[in-house]
Amino acid sequence: MPNRQRRTALAITMGAVLGLAGALVAGPVLAQTAPRTDLVVGMRLEPPHLDPTAGAAAAIDEVTYANLYEPLTRIDAEGKVVPGLAEKWEVSADGLTYTFHLRKGAKFHDGSDADSADVTFSLDRARGAESVNAQKGYFAAIAGVEAPDARTVVVTLSRPDGLFLFHMASGDAAIVAPESAGANKQTPVGTGPFKFERWVAGDRVVLVRNPDYDGPKPALERVTFRFISDPAAQVAALKAGDIDSFPQFDTYEALPQFRDDGAFTVMVGTTEGETILGTNNARKPFDDVRVRRAMAHAIDRKTLIDGVLFGNGAAIGSHFPPHRAGYVDLTGLYPYDPDKAKALLAEAGLPDGFETTLRLPPPIYARRSGELIAAMLAEVGIRVKIEPMEWAPWLEQVFKGKDYDLTLIAHTEPLDIDIYGRPDYYFNYRSERFNAVGAELDRTQDPAKRNALYGEQQRILAEDAVNGFLFMLPSATVQKSAVQGMWVNRPIQANDVTGVRWK
């Protein structure tokens, strides 16, 4: 072949090779320039409905909080109170008057303006005589709500409330419109950056980005919350790629296999979920503190945490999370001591023990913990009949009807120690001493003094052994490694996807 032809052929060949190499290099780069805008979030429980102002189930907020609905204030990933529907606020020197200034241009998903009249309606509805709000106590200090103009709301309290801004950041305080509030359980209308598209009962809820949102637009265009209660099915769905992120993943024994797989990221953080052996203090023999203390000595919390949470959890000795300021370590008050438990039962006139029923809601941690605790109590003569329940009857019979001996549940509302002062709460606990400290806490604004009062409340509950204080429910999230922005910790019961994006 002549030299000129050889050089031409070589040039063509080299050009083809370089072109192919360029294509190989450019291909993946181009693929990375278009990150996904959809997300599938796994949840173990389906919410009973989608109105956070009318239900106690955590699953409601896990779908709706910050995504669909907005309260006046909001809790961020660090647990801080930040602006919500209100962009700013002022508090009077005496702590009795809160003036909220609403965001300009805020609208509900139906296109109507979100103004001060809607805030007035929402707060009056939550505190009214006919209120079905699960946290009606959050609004008890409100003496009046006024709307001097469309963007200003003035709330007057009858007494100082050191947690008022915190409580106004809860899903229970979501701002709703009178025109749509009645239908929010099935077709929710809020002011959030996502709006409701559809609910396929037993399977999923789908949200889509709200194009008219007046604040920062989320990166995601569509979010699907899929409900998978079976632990094996949760693992399989993640492995198959059907789920992108699974917060509150409680198949703890499966975490190592995901940690070892580079396609996934595993995050373990804290929650506000004090997990307790709920006890009906008004029902015999649990009205005797010696019996409640005997049960506390009969429970080996380390074995419980290892067996149920596979070591991913912290023991508690009262109703307060260890990661919060004001926590007092009372886990040593009732060390595991079966002989002491038997002696206390004999002292209470029950040397042969007694029979009782433990009603368990659906979560895995409750069912597994219930089995272990029943075996532990049997060792000291307390013969436990386990009764598994679905959420609807548990909420109706145990939580609302107070028809139970023992139950087991994680209380995931933040800073909720005040529930022990509610006269109609399902523990049936009464303590003038506890209530007096609570009243002082309501009047106190100074953080150090508040923490000291929290400590006093914790000691009272522990001394009275109101419930079996077991452990803090951990927050474990398993997700595809390219997902960014899911919360590590859960300072509030929420799956806030407003800041989630793909790499």
Side-chain angles (χ1 to χ4, degrees), residues 23-87:
L24 290 173
V25 171
V29 173
L30 290 173
Q32 292 176 1
T33 60
R36 283 176 53 185
T37 58
D38 66 303
L39 185 76
V40 181
V41 179
M43 288 176 54
R44 68 179 184 271
L45 296 174
E46 181 175 16
H49 58 76
L50 296 174
D51 183 358
T53 71
I60 301 171
D61 279 338
E62 288 172 359
V63 171
T64 65
Y65 186 81
N67 303 323
L68 278 172
Y69 298 104
E70 295 178 299
L72 285 170
T73 57
R74 188 172 62 83
I75 302 297
D76 70 4
E78 305 303 318
K80 298 176 183 177
V81 177
V82 297
L85 188 60
E87 61 183 4

Short mmCIF file of all heavy atoms in Angstrom, two decimals, residues 23-87:
data_model
loop_
_atom_site.label_atom_id
_atom_site.label_comp_id
_atom_site.label_asym_id
_atom_site.label_seq_id
_atom_site.Cartn_x
_atom_site.Cartn_y
_atom_site.Cartn_z
N ALA A 23 -17.24 8.46 22.69
CA ALA A 23 -18.62 8.05 22.96
C ALA A 23 -18.73 7.32 24.29
O ALA A 23 -19.67 7.50 25.05
CB ALA A 23 -19.14 7.18 21.82
N LEU A 24 -17.69 6.45 24.54
CA LEU A 24 -17.69 5.69 25.80
C LEU A 24 -17.57 6.62 26.99
O LEU A 24 -18.16 6.40 28.03
CB LEU A 24 -16.56 4.67 25.80
CG LEU A 24 -16.71 3.49 24.83
CD1 LEU A 24 -15.44 2.65 24.82
CD2 LEU A 24 -17.93 2.65 25.21
N VAL A 25 -16.75 7.66 26.84
CA VAL A 25 -16.57 8.61 27.94
C VAL A 25 -17.81 9.49 28.09
O VAL A 25 -18.32 9.72 29.17
CB VAL A 25 -15.32 9.48 27.71
CG1 VAL A 25 -15.27 10.60 28.74
CG2 VAL A 25 -14.06 8.63 27.79
N ALA A 26 -18.31 9.97 26.97
CA ALA A 26 -19.42 10.91 27.02
C ALA A 26 -20.72 10.26 27.45
O ALA A 26 -21.55 10.89 28.09
CB ALA A 26 -19.61 11.57 25.64
N GLY A 27 -20.87 8.96 27.12
CA GLY A 27 -22.13 8.29 27.43
C GLY A 27 -22.54 8.39 28.88
O GLY A 27 -23.59 8.95 29.21
N PRO A 28 -21.70 7.90 29.80
CA PRO A 28 -22.07 7.97 31.22
C PRO A 28 -22.24 9.39 31.72
O PRO A 28 -23.08 9.67 32.55
CB PRO A 28 -20.90 7.26 31.93
CG PRO A 28 -20.29 6.39 30.89
CD PRO A 28 -20.46 7.13 29.61
N VAL A 29 -21.42 10.34 31.22
CA VAL A 29 -21.54 11.72 31.66
C VAL A 29 -22.91 12.27 31.31
O VAL A 29 -23.59 12.91 32.11
CB VAL A 29 -20.43 12.58 31.04
CG1 VAL A 29 -20.65 14.05 31.35
CG2 VAL A 29 -19.07 12.13 31.57
N LEU A 30 -23.34 11.99 30.09
CA LEU A 30 -24.66 12.45 29.67
C LEU A 30 -25.75 11.83 30.52
O LEU A 30 -26.72 12.48 30.89
CB LEU A 30 -24.88 12.13 28.19
CG LEU A 30 -24.06 12.95 27.18
CD1 LEU A 30 -24.26 12.41 25.78
CD2 LEU A 30 -24.44 14.42 27.27
N ALA A 31 -25.57 10.54 30.87
CA ALA A 31 -26.58 9.86 31.67
C ALA A 31 -26.70 10.47 33.05
O ALA A 31 -27.77 10.50 33.64
CB ALA A 31 -26.23 8.37 31.79
N GLN A 32 -25.58 11.02 33.58
CA GLN A 32 -25.58 11.57 34.92
C GLN A 32 -26.15 12.98 34.97
O GLN A 32 -26.38 13.52 36.05
CB GLN A 32 -24.17 11.56 35.49
CG GLN A 32 -23.64 10.15 35.76
CD GLN A 32 -22.20 10.17 36.22
OE1 GLN A 32 -21.60 11.22 36.36
NE2 GLN A 32 -21.63 9.00 36.45
N THR A 33 -26.33 13.62 33.81
CA THR A 33 -26.80 14.99 33.83
C THR A 33 -28.30 15.09 34.08
O THR A 33 -28.82 16.18 34.25
CB THR A 33 -26.48 15.68 32.49
OG1 THR A 33 -27.12 14.96 31.42
CG2 THR A 33 -24.97 15.72 32.27
N ALA A 34 -28.99 13.96 34.09
CA ALA A 34 -30.44 13.99 34.29
C ALA A 34 -30.81 13.10 35.47
O ALA A 34 -31.21 11.95 35.28
CB ALA A 34 -31.15 13.55 33.01
N PRO A 35 -30.64 13.59 36.70
CA PRO A 35 -31.01 12.77 37.86
C PRO A 35 -32.50 12.52 37.91
O PRO A 35 -33.31 13.29 37.37
CB PRO A 35 -30.55 13.63 39.05
CG PRO A 35 -30.55 15.03 38.53
CD PRO A 35 -30.16 14.92 37.09
N ARG A 36 -32.86 11.46 38.55
CA ARG A 36 -34.27 11.11 38.68
C ARG A 36 -35.03 12.19 39.46
O ARG A 36 -34.48 12.86 40.34
CB ARG A 36 -34.42 9.77 39.40
CG ARG A 36 -34.12 8.56 38.53
CD ARG A 36 -34.19 7.28 39.35
NE ARG A 36 -35.44 7.14 40.08
CZ ARG A 36 -35.69 6.15 40.94
NH1 ARG A 36 -34.76 5.24 41.18
NH2 ARG A 36 -36.85 6.08 41.55
N THR A 37 -36.29 12.32 39.18
CA THR A 37 -37.13 13.30 39.88
C THR A 37 -38.32 12.62 40.57
O THR A 37 -39.26 13.28 40.97
CB THR A 37 -37.65 14.37 38.92
OG1 THR A 37 -38.38 13.74 37.85
CG2 THR A 37 -36.51 15.19 38.35
N ASP A 38 -38.26 11.29 40.66
CA ASP A 38 -39.29 10.55 41.38
C ASP A 38 -38.64 9.81 42.54
O ASP A 38 -37.43 9.58 42.54
CB ASP A 38 -40.00 9.55 40.46
CG ASP A 38 -39.07 8.45 40.02
OD1 ASP A 38 -38.01 8.76 39.41
OD2 ASP A 38 -39.35 7.27 40.29
N LEU A 39 -39.43 9.47 43.54
CA LEU A 39 -38.91 8.76 44.71
C LEU A 39 -40.00 7.83 45.24
O LEU A 39 -41.17 8.22 45.33
CB LEU A 39 -38.50 9.75 45.80
CG LEU A 39 -37.82 9.14 47.03
CD1 LEU A 39 -36.37 8.78 46.70
CD2 LEU A 39 -37.87 10.11 48.21
N VAL A 40 -39.60 6.61 45.58
CA VAL A 40 -40.51 5.65 46.21
C VAL A 40 -40.02 5.42 47.63
O VAL A 40 -38.91 4.94 47.85
CB VAL A 40 -40.58 4.32 45.44
CG1 VAL A 40 -41.58 3.38 46.12
CG2 VAL A 40 -40.98 4.56 43.99
N VAL A 41 -40.85 5.78 48.60
CA VAL A 41 -40.52 5.68 50.02
C VAL A 41 -41.30 4.52 50.63
O VAL A 41 -42.52 4.43 50.45
CB VAL A 41 -40.86 6.99 50.76
CG1 VAL A 41 -40.54 6.86 52.25
CG2 VAL A 41 -40.12 8.16 50.15
N GLY A 42 -40.61 3.65 51.32
CA GLY A 42 -41.28 2.54 51.97
C GLY A 42 -41.75 2.90 53.37
O GLY A 42 -41.07 3.62 54.11
N MET A 43 -42.92 2.41 53.74
CA MET A 43 -43.46 2.59 55.09
C MET A 43 -44.05 1.26 55.54
O MET A 43 -44.67 0.55 54.74
CB MET A 43 -44.55 3.67 55.12
CG MET A 43 -44.02 5.09 54.96
SD MET A 43 -45.37 6.32 54.89
CE MET A 43 -46.27 5.96 56.40
N ARG A 44 -43.89 0.93 56.81
CA ARG A 44 -44.40 -0.34 57.30
C ARG A 44 -45.89 -0.29 57.59
O ARG A 44 -46.56 -1.32 57.57
CB ARG A 44 -43.63 -0.80 58.53
CG ARG A 44 -43.82 0.04 59.77
CD ARG A 44 -43.03 -0.52 60.95
NE ARG A 44 -43.28 0.22 62.17
CZ ARG A 44 -42.60 1.29 62.55
NH1 ARG A 44 -41.63 1.74 61.79
NH2 ARG A 44 -42.87 1.91 63.69
N LEU A 45 -46.42 0.91 57.88
CA LEU A 45 -47.83 1.03 58.23
C LEU A 45 -48.54 2.02 57.30
O LEU A 45 -47.99 3.07 56.97
CB LEU A 45 -48.00 1.50 59.68
CG LEU A 45 -47.48 0.55 60.77
CD1 LEU A 45 -47.58 1.22 62.13
CD2 LEU A 45 -48.25 -0.75 60.76
N GLU A 46 -49.74 1.67 56.93
CA GLU A 46 -50.57 2.56 56.14
C GLU A 46 -51.35 3.46 57.08
O GLU A 46 -51.89 3.00 58.09
CB GLU A 46 -51.54 1.76 55.27
CG GLU A 46 -52.43 2.61 54.40
CD GLU A 46 -53.29 1.77 53.45
OE1 GLU A 46 -53.41 0.55 53.70
OE2 GLU A 46 -53.82 2.32 52.47
N PRO A 47 -51.43 4.76 56.81
CA PRO A 47 -52.21 5.63 57.70
C PRO A 47 -53.70 5.32 57.60
O PRO A 47 -54.18 4.92 56.54
CB PRO A 47 -51.91 7.04 57.17
CG PRO A 47 -51.49 6.84 55.75
CD PRO A 47 -50.80 5.50 55.70
N PRO A 48 -54.44 5.51 58.70
CA PRO A 48 -55.89 5.28 58.65
C PRO A 48 -56.60 6.33 57.81
O PRO A 48 -57.68 6.09 57.27
CB PRO A 48 -56.31 5.35 60.12
CG PRO A 48 -55.26 6.19 60.78
CD PRO A 48 -53.98 5.89 60.06
N HIS A 49 -56.02 7.52 57.75
CA HIS A 49 -56.52 8.60 56.91
C HIS A 49 -55.40 9.62 56.76
O HIS A 49 -54.27 9.38 57.22
CB HIS A 49 -57.80 9.23 57.49
CG HIS A 49 -57.64 9.78 58.88
ND1 HIS A 49 -57.00 10.96 59.13
CD2 HIS A 49 -58.01 9.30 60.10
CE1 HIS A 49 -57.00 11.21 60.43
NE2 HIS A 49 -57.60 10.20 61.04
N LEU A 50 -55.66 10.77 56.14
CA LEU A 50 -54.60 11.73 55.83
C LEU A 50 -54.85 13.11 56.44
O LEU A 50 -54.39 14.12 55.91
CB LEU A 50 -54.42 11.83 54.32
CG LEU A 50 -53.94 10.55 53.63
CD1 LEU A 50 -53.94 10.72 52.11
CD2 LEU A 50 -52.56 10.14 54.12
N ASP A 51 -55.53 13.15 57.58
CA ASP A 51 -55.78 14.41 58.28
C ASP A 51 -55.04 14.40 59.60
O ASP A 51 -55.49 13.79 60.57
CB ASP A 51 -57.27 14.62 58.50
CG ASP A 51 -57.57 15.96 59.16
OD1 ASP A 51 -56.61 16.70 59.48
OD2 ASP A 51 -58.77 16.27 59.38
N PRO A 52 -53.87 15.07 59.70
CA PRO A 52 -53.09 15.04 60.94
C PRO A 52 -53.75 15.77 62.09
O PRO A 52 -53.34 15.60 63.24
CB PRO A 52 -51.78 15.72 60.54
CG PRO A 52 -52.16 16.64 59.42
CD PRO A 52 -53.24 15.90 58.67
N THR A 53 -54.79 16.57 61.81
CA THR A 53 -55.48 17.29 62.88
C THR A 53 -56.60 16.47 63.49
O THR A 53 -57.31 16.95 64.37
CB THR A 53 -56.06 18.62 62.36
OG1 THR A 53 -57.17 18.35 61.49
CG2 THR A 53 -55.01 19.42 61.60
N ALA A 54 -56.74 15.21 63.05
CA ALA A 54 -57.86 14.40 63.52
C ALA A 54 -57.48 12.95 63.76
O ALA A 54 -58.31 12.06 63.60
CB ALA A 54 -59.01 14.47 62.50
N GLY A 55 -56.23 12.70 64.15
CA GLY A 55 -55.83 11.31 64.38
C GLY A 55 -54.49 11.23 65.08
O GLY A 55 -53.64 12.12 64.95
N ALA A 56 -54.30 10.12 65.85
CA ALA A 56 -53.06 9.95 66.62
C ALA A 56 -52.03 9.10 65.91
O ALA A 56 -50.88 9.04 66.35
CB ALA A 56 -53.41 9.32 67.98
N ALA A 57 -52.39 8.40 64.84
CA ALA A 57 -51.47 7.48 64.19
C ALA A 57 -50.29 8.22 63.57
O ALA A 57 -50.46 9.17 62.80
CB ALA A 57 -52.20 6.68 63.11
N ALA A 58 -49.07 7.78 63.91
CA ALA A 58 -47.86 8.42 63.39
C ALA A 58 -47.78 8.37 61.88
O ALA A 58 -47.20 9.26 61.24
CB ALA A 58 -46.63 7.76 64.01
N ALA A 59 -48.36 7.32 61.27
CA ALA A 59 -48.27 7.15 59.82
C ALA A 59 -48.92 8.31 59.06
O ALA A 59 -48.56 8.58 57.92
CB ALA A 59 -48.92 5.84 59.41
N ILE A 60 -49.86 9.01 59.69
CA ILE A 60 -50.49 10.16 59.03
C ILE A 60 -49.46 11.24 58.78
O ILE A 60 -49.29 11.75 57.67
CB ILE A 60 -51.66 10.71 59.88
CG1 ILE A 60 -52.72 9.63 60.12
CG2 ILE A 60 -52.29 11.93 59.19
CD1 ILE A 60 -53.78 10.05 61.13
N ASP A 61 -48.73 11.61 59.84
CA ASP A 61 -47.69 12.63 59.71
C ASP A 61 -46.54 12.15 58.83
O ASP A 61 -45.89 12.97 58.16
CB ASP A 61 -47.14 13.01 61.08
CG ASP A 61 -48.04 14.00 61.83
OD1 ASP A 61 -48.82 14.69 61.15
OD2 ASP A 61 -47.96 14.07 63.06
N GLU A 62 -46.26 10.86 58.83
CA GLU A 62 -45.15 10.34 58.04
C GLU A 62 -45.36 10.55 56.54
O GLU A 62 -44.41 10.62 55.77
CB GLU A 62 -44.92 8.87 58.36
CG GLU A 62 -44.31 8.68 59.76
CD GLU A 62 -44.25 7.23 60.19
OE1 GLU A 62 -44.70 6.37 59.41
OE2 GLU A 62 -43.78 6.96 61.30
N VAL A 63 -46.61 10.67 56.13
CA VAL A 63 -46.92 10.98 54.73
C VAL A 63 -47.09 12.49 54.52
O VAL A 63 -46.58 13.06 53.56
CB VAL A 63 -48.20 10.25 54.28
CG1 VAL A 63 -48.64 10.74 52.90
CG2 VAL A 63 -47.97 8.75 54.25
N THR A 64 -47.76 13.15 55.46
CA THR A 64 -48.26 14.50 55.19
C THR A 64 -47.41 15.64 55.73
O THR A 64 -47.43 16.74 55.18
CB THR A 64 -49.68 14.67 55.75
OG1 THR A 64 -49.65 14.56 57.20
CG2 THR A 64 -50.63 13.59 55.20
N TYR A 65 -46.65 15.41 56.83
CA TYR A 65 -45.98 16.53 57.50
C TYR A 65 -44.96 17.22 56.58
O TYR A 65 -44.07 16.57 56.01
CB TYR A 65 -45.27 16.07 58.77
CG TYR A 65 -44.69 17.22 59.56
CD1 TYR A 65 -45.49 17.97 60.42
CD2 TYR A 65 -43.36 17.58 59.44
CE1 TYR A 65 -44.98 19.04 61.14
CE2 TYR A 65 -42.83 18.65 60.15
CZ TYR A 65 -43.64 19.37 61.00
OH TYR A 65 -43.14 20.44 61.71
N ALA A 66 -45.09 18.52 56.45
CA ALA A 66 -44.21 19.38 55.64
C ALA A 66 -44.35 19.13 54.14
O ALA A 66 -44.02 20.00 53.34
CB ALA A 66 -42.74 19.23 56.05
N ASN A 67 -44.83 17.97 53.76
CA ASN A 67 -45.02 17.65 52.35
C ASN A 67 -46.34 18.21 51.83
O ASN A 67 -46.37 18.98 50.87
CB ASN A 67 -45.00 16.13 52.15
CG ASN A 67 -43.72 15.50 52.64
OD1 ASN A 67 -42.65 16.07 52.50
ND2 ASN A 67 -43.82 14.31 53.24
N LEU A 68 -47.43 17.83 52.49
CA LEU A 68 -48.77 18.28 52.10
C LEU A 68 -49.24 19.48 52.91
O LEU A 68 -49.81 20.43 52.37
CB LEU A 68 -49.78 17.14 52.28
CG LEU A 68 -49.89 16.10 51.18
CD1 LEU A 68 -50.80 14.97 51.64
CD2 LEU A 68 -50.43 16.72 49.90
N TYR A 69 -49.06 19.39 54.23
CA TYR A 69 -49.57 20.42 55.14
C TYR A 69 -48.42 21.20 55.76
O TYR A 69 -47.32 20.69 55.93
CB TYR A 69 -50.36 19.78 56.28
CG TYR A 69 -51.60 19.02 55.89
CD1 TYR A 69 -51.59 17.63 55.89
CD2 TYR A 69 -52.79 19.67 55.58
CE1 TYR A 69 -52.74 16.91 55.57
CE2 TYR A 69 -53.94 18.96 55.26
CZ TYR A 69 -53.91 17.58 55.26
OH TYR A 69 -55.03 16.86 54.95
N GLU A 70 -48.75 22.43 56.16
CA GLU A 70 -47.78 23.26 56.88
C GLU A 70 -48.43 23.87 58.11
O GLU A 70 -49.49 24.48 58.02
CB GLU A 70 -47.27 24.39 55.98
CG GLU A 70 -46.48 23.93 54.77
CD GLU A 70 -46.07 25.11 53.90
OE1 GLU A 70 -46.98 25.82 53.41
OE2 GLU A 70 -44.87 25.32 53.75
N PRO A 71 -47.80 23.72 59.28
CA PRO A 71 -48.25 24.48 60.45
C PRO A 71 -47.67 25.90 60.39
O PRO A 71 -46.94 26.24 59.44
CB PRO A 71 -47.65 23.69 61.63
CG PRO A 71 -47.00 22.47 61.02
CD PRO A 71 -46.75 22.78 59.58
N LEU A 72 -47.97 26.71 61.40
CA LEU A 72 -47.40 28.06 61.44
C LEU A 72 -45.89 28.00 61.54
O LEU A 72 -45.17 28.74 60.85
CB LEU A 72 -47.96 28.81 62.65
CG LEU A 72 -49.40 29.31 62.52
CD1 LEU A 72 -49.90 29.81 63.87
CD2 LEU A 72 -49.51 30.41 61.47
N THR A 73 -45.38 27.14 62.42
CA THR A 73 -43.95 26.91 62.53
C THR A 73 -43.67 25.47 62.12
O THR A 73 -44.60 24.69 61.91
CB THR A 73 -43.46 27.16 63.96
OG1 THR A 73 -44.19 26.32 64.86
CG2 THR A 73 -43.65 28.62 64.36
N ARG A 74 -42.39 25.13 62.01
CA ARG A 74 -42.06 23.79 61.54
C ARG A 74 -40.82 23.29 62.28
O ARG A 74 -40.00 24.08 62.74
CB ARG A 74 -41.79 23.84 60.02
CG ARG A 74 -41.62 22.51 59.35
CD ARG A 74 -41.55 22.66 57.83
NE ARG A 74 -40.42 23.46 57.39
CZ ARG A 74 -39.18 22.99 57.22
NH1 ARG A 74 -38.92 21.71 57.47
NH2 ARG A 74 -38.20 23.78 56.82
N ILE A 75 -40.69 21.98 62.41
CA ILE A 75 -39.51 21.37 63.00
C ILE A 75 -38.61 20.92 61.86
O ILE A 75 -39.05 20.22 60.95
CB ILE A 75 -39.88 20.17 63.89
CG1 ILE A 75 -40.84 20.61 65.01
CG2 ILE A 75 -38.62 19.53 64.46
CD1 ILE A 75 -40.27 21.62 65.96
N ASP A 76 -37.32 21.32 61.93
CA ASP A 76 -36.40 20.92 60.87
C ASP A 76 -35.66 19.64 61.25
O ASP A 76 -35.93 19.03 62.29
CB ASP A 76 -35.43 22.05 60.53
CG ASP A 76 -34.41 22.34 61.64
OD1 ASP A 76 -34.39 21.62 62.66
OD2 ASP A 76 -33.63 23.30 61.48
N ALA A 77 -34.72 19.23 60.43
CA ALA A 77 -34.01 17.96 60.63
C ALA A 77 -33.20 17.93 61.91
O ALA A 77 -32.88 16.86 62.43
CB ALA A 77 -33.10 17.68 59.43
N GLU A 78 -32.85 19.12 62.44
CA GLU A 78 -32.07 19.20 63.67
C GLU A 78 -32.96 19.34 64.90
O GLU A 78 -32.45 19.47 66.02
CB GLU A 78 -31.11 20.39 63.59
CG GLU A 78 -30.19 20.38 62.38
CD GLU A 78 -29.36 19.12 62.31
OE1 GLU A 78 -28.88 18.68 63.36
OE2 GLU A 78 -29.23 18.56 61.20
N GLY A 79 -34.27 19.35 64.69
CA GLY A 79 -35.19 19.48 65.82
C GLY A 79 -35.46 20.92 66.23
O GLY A 79 -36.06 21.16 67.28
N LYS A 80 -35.04 21.88 65.42
CA LYS A 80 -35.24 23.29 65.74
C LYS A 80 -36.56 23.80 65.17
O LYS A 80 -37.05 23.32 64.14
CB LYS A 80 -34.08 24.11 65.17
CG LYS A 80 -32.72 23.76 65.75
CD LYS A 80 -31.63 24.56 65.05
CE LYS A 80 -30.25 24.17 65.57
NZ LYS A 80 -29.16 24.88 64.85
N VAL A 81 -37.13 24.79 65.85
CA VAL A 81 -38.35 25.44 65.36
C VAL A 81 -37.94 26.47 64.32
O VAL A 81 -37.14 27.37 64.59
CB VAL A 81 -39.12 26.12 66.51
CG1 VAL A 81 -40.33 26.87 65.96
CG2 VAL A 81 -39.55 25.09 67.55
N VAL A 82 -38.48 26.35 63.11
CA VAL A 82 -38.17 27.26 62.01
C VAL A 82 -39.49 27.73 61.39
O VAL A 82 -40.56 27.19 61.69
CB VAL A 82 -37.30 26.55 60.94
CG1 VAL A 82 -35.96 26.14 61.54
CG2 VAL A 82 -38.02 25.33 60.35
N PRO A 83 -39.45 28.76 60.54
CA PRO A 83 -40.69 29.24 59.93
C PRO A 83 -41.41 28.18 59.12
O PRO A 83 -40.79 27.35 58.45
CB PRO A 83 -40.20 30.39 59.04
CG PRO A 83 -38.95 30.87 59.69
CD PRO A 83 -38.30 29.63 60.22
N GLY A 84 -42.73 28.23 59.18
CA GLY A 84 -43.58 27.37 58.38
C GLY A 84 -44.47 28.25 57.51
O GLY A 84 -43.97 29.02 56.68
N LEU A 85 -45.77 28.19 57.73
CA LEU A 85 -46.67 29.10 57.01
C LEU A 85 -46.42 30.54 57.48
O LEU A 85 -46.64 31.49 56.74
CB LEU A 85 -48.12 28.69 57.23
CG LEU A 85 -49.16 29.43 56.40
CD1 LEU A 85 -48.92 29.24 54.90
CD2 LEU A 85 -50.57 28.96 56.76
N ALA A 86 -45.99 30.68 58.72
CA ALA A 86 -45.60 32.00 59.22
C ALA A 86 -44.12 32.22 58.91
O ALA A 86 -43.27 31.40 59.27
CB ALA A 86 -45.84 32.09 60.72
N GLU A 87 -43.80 33.33 58.25
CA GLU A 87 -42.41 33.61 57.90
C GLU A 87 -41.63 34.21 59.06
O GLU A 87 -40.40 34.14 59.11
CB GLU A 87 -42.34 34.52 56.68
CG GLU A 87 -42.99 35.88 56.86
CD GLU A 87 -42.96 36.71 55.58
OE1 GLU A 87 -42.49 36.17 54.54
OE2 GLU A 87 -43.40 37.86 55.61
#
